[in-house]
Amino acid sequence: MLAGVLEWELTGGTVVRASKDDIVWVPRGTVHHIKNAGTELSLRLAVAMPPAVHYFSPCEQCGFDDDGPREWKA
């Protein structure tokens, strides 16, 4: 985490809350949702090892359909 506070909800209902300088590891193949849990903008650096594919998809089951801000302004 580079800035802000984010919350990851992982398969099985596990919730991980992270803030600046924290590292979050999500096992390969784990479905997860990430949301801003703070009052400020957040910034994270995501690293995926091949052959991992990381993509956004709306989720009807949880009602998540927002793909976030259209433009980053630091």
Side-chain angles (χ1 to χ4, degrees):
M1 289 288 306
L2 302 173
V5 179
L6 289 176
E7 215 169 70
W8 279 257
E9 182 180 350
L10 310 178
T11 302
T14 300
V15 175
V16 177
R17 188 178 182 101
S19 57
K20 186 177 183 312
D21 297 330
D22 287 342
I23 295 173
V24 176
W25 176 73
V26 178
R28 182 173 296 182
T30 303
V31 175
H32 56 285
H33 300 281
I34 305 169
K35 69 179 181 179
N36 191 337
T39 57
E40 301 176 2
L41 292 176
S42 59
L43 180 62
R44 69 184 177 96
L45 173 65
V47 177
M49 293 178 58
V53 177
H54 200 190
Y55 61 92
F56 167 81
S57 176
C59 179
E60 290 180 20
Q61 182 179 358
C62 68
F64 184 81
D65 62 2
D66 181 16
D67 62 355
R70 307 304 180 265
E71 181 181 339
W72 172 261
K73 294 182 182 179

